[in-house]
Amino acid sequence: MSKKVSPSILSADFANLEKEVKAVAAAGADWIHVDVMDGHFVPNLTIGVPVVASLKKVSPLPLDVHLMIEEPEKYVEAFIKAGSDYLTIHVESTRDPAAVLKRIRELGAKPGITLRPRTPVEDVLPLLPLCDLVLVMTVEPGFGGQSFMHDQIAKISKLRSEISSKKLKCLIEVDGGINAETAKLCHEADVFVAGSFVFGRNYAEAISILKK
Ligand code: DX5
Ligand code: ZN
């Protein structure tokens, strides 16, 4: 299966999001990655529900929404009503991640689970049957443009063997410091999130490099 690319609009021009989303779609992107931060779970504030709703109106691609917020259970319904296709929560952000993942599916979106670099991959394994997506963070969540953490690659292999041995349908996505070199190291992943790498150069060129 060829790799999917989900450009992170955190590195896009926020004054021209419609133009940016259409440009990466025309350049061959598969999904649009939307980083939602609350200033508590991570030390940064980004965008919320109204921006997702506005993106939904103009995006030809599915919205891959990454919630870096505490108590995601309070907000999943609003993010799904706004048009999130994939909705990913952090395993550390809530007491009962399984309940939140089930709720996301009931509300009609595709549930995803993710983990911080310091969280052991074992914490997400029991949740994989509830998910369409598992996201491996290869930087500390909070900001674009950070360096790839090589010590996270082993999590991708562990997830790949768990998914194949249990015949699960979960896609593996990787997020943080992805570029031409680091994407090669993550060849067992299905989806590459990339912010600064895509928005920092010719979009079509960047996306075609990641797809190879
Ligand atoms: C970081 C975000 C990432 C970020 C990736 O917390 O989850 O999606 O935008 O940016 P790059 O690709 O620049 O590391
Ligand atoms: Zn992200």
Side-chain angles (χ1 to χ4, degrees):
M1 195 175 73
S2 90
K3 305 294 182 190
K4 291 188 195 304
V5 177
S6 188
S8 166
I9 56 158
L10 196 55
S11 295
D13 175 1
F14 270 38
N16 289 289
L17 282 181
E18 175 174 6
K19 201 177 112 206
E20 294 279 58
V21 162
K22 288 181 173 162
V24 289
D30 297 277
W31 299 347
I32 299 295
H33 187 81
V34 184
D35 288 304
V36 175
M37 306 189 191
D38 68 351
H40 294 280
F41 185 72
V42 288
N44 195 9
L45 280 164
T46 54
I47 66 181
V49 171
V51 176
V52 173
S54 297
L55 285 169
K56 189 64 184 176
K57 290 187 200 146
V58 299
S59 175
L61 301 177
L63 299 181
D64 165 32
V65 178
H66 175 192
L67 296 183
M68 285 160 273
I69 64 175
E70 279 171 12
E71 298 186 286
E73 57 275 12
K74 289 189 180 165
Y75 305 98
V76 290
E77 183 166 2
F79 277 103
I80 291 166
K81 282 192 175 149
S84 305
D85 294 278
Y86 286 84
L87 190 59
T88 296
I89 61 160
H90 270 266
V91 67
E92 311 87 355
S93 67
T94 177
R95 281 198 203 145
D96 192 352
V100 186
L101 294 167
K102 286 178 196 159
R103 180 90 182 116
I104 292 172
R105 196 177 294 288
E106 274 167 21
L107 291 166
K110 296 185 168 77
I113 191 72
T114 185
L115 70 174
R116 290 178 178 282
R118 63 173 173 270
T119 302
V121 71
E122 285 71 23
D123 289 13
V124 301
L125 299 182
L127 299 167
L128 296 181
L130 300 172
C131 295
D132 287 313
L133 188 69
V134 56
L135 170 58
V136 176
M137 290 303 301
T138 42
V139 295
E140 192 56 48
F143 299 90
Q146 305 181 76
S147 302
F148 180 84
M149 296 168 72
H150 288 77
D151 59 356
Q152 300 301 306
I153 298 171
K155 288 181 179 171
I156 303 174
S157 304
K158 178 77 193 176
L159 288 165
R160 177 53 66 210
S161 57
E162 179 81 4
I163 288 168
S164 358
S165 73
K166 303 221 163 119
K167 299 195 166 49
L168 301 171
K169 292 219 175 78
C170 207
L171 294 173
I172 302 176
E173 183 177 51
V174 60
D175 180 8
I178 294 296
N179 59 36
E181 286 73 43
T182 57
K184 281 186 210 150
L185 305 172
C186 302
H187 56 88
E188 286 183 289
D190 303 296
V191 189
F192 294 124
V193 175
S196 44
F197 182 67
V198 168
F199 288 99
R201 57 183 48 65
N202 179 282
Y203 301 171
E205 208 173 277
I207 291 165
S208 78
I209 289 171
L210 296 177
K211 279 180 175 271
K212 283 179 211 148

